[in-house]
Amino acid sequence: AIATIPTTTFAAVGTYMFANNNTYGTLTPGSTVNGSTLKPTSAGSYSNTTVTLSGTWRLMGAKGGSNTSWSGTFESSLWVRTA
């Protein structure tokens, strides 16, 4: 059988990304947000604010805090693009 190789295209549907979400408040795993509220980030809380994402993204980890800047460490988690 031929296996389907998952896409590795940046921000394509089905890809995962560690990203920062600066929407106010806590989100529970499974929550979805618009890509415009996300920025690629590092575990050290650096966010690439020059990248604009699109589509719908589902939270696969946890997101807490109420920081509305792009540098809050509680705002970073793992996301998957669903649409």
Side-chain angles (χ1 to χ4, degrees):
I2 299 174
T4 303
I5 299 172
T7 183
T8 57
T9 302
F10 179 78
V13 172
T15 58
Y16 285 79
M17 182 179 303
F18 196 63
N20 182 303
N21 171 265
N22 76 341
T23 303
Y24 183 81
T26 300
L27 294 175
T28 57
S31 297
T32 57
V33 300
N34 186 290
S36 65
T37 68
L38 296 173
K39 297 292 182 186
T41 192
S42 71
S45 81
Y46 166 78
S47 292
N48 186 334
T49 57
T50 63
V51 174
T52 301
L53 299 173
S54 60
T56 302
W57 292 78
R58 181 176 311 281
L59 179 61
M60 301 303 283
K63 189 262 182 194
S66 59
N67 188 345
T68 57
S69 75
W70 289 114
S71 62
T73 55
F74 292 131
E75 318 309 324
S76 300
S77 197
L78 184 65
W79 300 82
V80 62
R81 185 168 177 188
T82 59

